[in-house]
Amino acid sequence: MKLAVSTLGMPGEGLDRAIEIAAGGGCQGLELRLHPDTGVHGGLDAAQRRSVRERVERAGLEIAALAGYAKVCAPGPDEPVIEELLTDLRLAADLGAPAVRVFPGGDDPAVGARRLKAVSGTAAALGVRVLVETHDHLATGAAVAGLLAEAGCPETTGAIWDLLHPWRHGEPPADTLAALGPYLSYVQVKDAVSAEDTTPVPMWTGSVPLEESGELLRAAGYDGWVSLEWERTWYPQVAPVEEILPGAADWVRRFAL
């Protein structure tokens, strides 16, 4: 496993500070949240894109993924969603990122499958994949696997297992991993107070089944990215992410192959 940290945990911090935190915390990569507040978004010009890529690479880090906000199953016309996906895919290619995170944003897998197919050719040409997170309307591994199966483009799509959401929706970790199977491409790790109270807490102090999930991933031979998604942007009262990173690094060491 390779450890990354999401800039979702660094509200108000610029890219240089994010790089400093990641490098100082023993990370191999950064998960870059796409938002004007972070300085990384689809509106960057060519020079700005080169600057982001060079600064990350100069620190000896990789961009593990771009955390986009496209909602592939959202109700409404396809064109705006497809355009958002294409914008994020082109940005990822320019930054050297292998993947773009998306949300379901709706409960109709046929809609999401149609849109994933529509961008598959561009994604393949750019060498970037679209990764659907276990989140919102399709929070379980079974639901995301169903969407990806219907899309039928495994070369350009995959799944992100956010360890919190399937569990809090009643899907045991073993069932999540079994459902995601070959689609699993990325893991987001975090701890929270409970299934009902998702306030972030330091690793090993909450209720998310971190031990069980780690054991399952090790047994399955998972060796991809694990990103600490410390949601300080949404919970500004919690500790700075640099105080949480050692626990995430310990989790990765414990369950790495």
Side-chain angles (χ1 to χ4, degrees), residues 1-243:
M1 299 183 190
K2 297 187 293 183
L3 178 63
V5 60
S6 170
T7 54
L8 184 66
M10 310 171 198
E13 305 281 8
L15 179 62
D16 289 337
R17 176 59 178 152
I19 290 170
E20 181 183 1
I21 290 170
C27 296
Q28 290 79 50
L30 267 172
E31 179 185 307
L32 297 178
R33 176 182 180 238
L34 299 186
H35 193 277
D37 289 349
T38 69
V40 182
H41 52 84
L44 298 182
D45 62 27
Q48 291 169 323
R49 294 175 185 219
R50 283 195 301 272
S51 174
V52 170
R53 182 168 184 165
E54 289 169 359
R55 286 148 71 193
V56 173
E57 291 177 348
R58 197 159 51 237
L61 298 171
E62 301 175 53
I63 299 176
L66 302 186
Y69 286 90
K71 297 175 173 60
V72 294
C73 300
D78 288 352
E79 288 75 13
V81 179
I82 290 172
E83 187 54 43
E84 183 176 3
L85 286 169
L86 292 173
T87 296
D88 290 352
L89 287 167
R90 294 178 184 121
L91 177 62
D94 288 342
L95 299 185
V100 172
R101 186 279 308 275
V102 301
F103 289 141
D107 59 6
D108 188 344
V111 172
R114 186 172 66 239
R115 293 164 178 171
L116 291 173
K117 288 177 184 176
V119 303
S120 182
T122 300
L126 293 172
V128 181
R129 302 176 73 210
V130 180
L131 305 183
V132 183
E133 183 177 336
T134 52
H135 197 271
D136 56 71
H137 296 80
L138 301 180
T140 64
V144 169
L147 164 62
L148 295 175
E150 186 159 352
C153 40
E155 298 84 2
T156 57
T157 59
I160 295 176
W161 180 10
D162 181 310
L163 299 186
L164 172 65
H165 296 302
W167 165 76
R168 75 183 187 92
H169 282 82
E171 186 178 63
D175 292 351
T176 303
L177 184 57
L180 292 178
Y183 303 115
L184 181 61
S185 305
Y186 198 92
V187 172
Q188 290 175 335
V189 67
K190 65 184 75 169
D191 209 345
V193 173
S194 69
E196 294 75 29
D197 180 356
T198 57
T199 302
V201 294
M203 300 280 288
W204 312 105
T205 68
S207 302
V208 177
L210 297 175
E211 185 82 23
E212 180 183 1
S213 300
E215 292 285 3
L216 287 164
L217 286 165
R218 181 168 58 190
Y222 179 76
D223 63 355
W225 284 106
V226 172
S227 177
L228 171 63
E229 191 183 47
W230 183 245
E231 296 182 330
R232 199 177 188 214
T233 294
W234 315 131
Y235 299 87
Q237 76 278 14
V238 300
V241 69
E242 52 266 41
E243 296 181 16

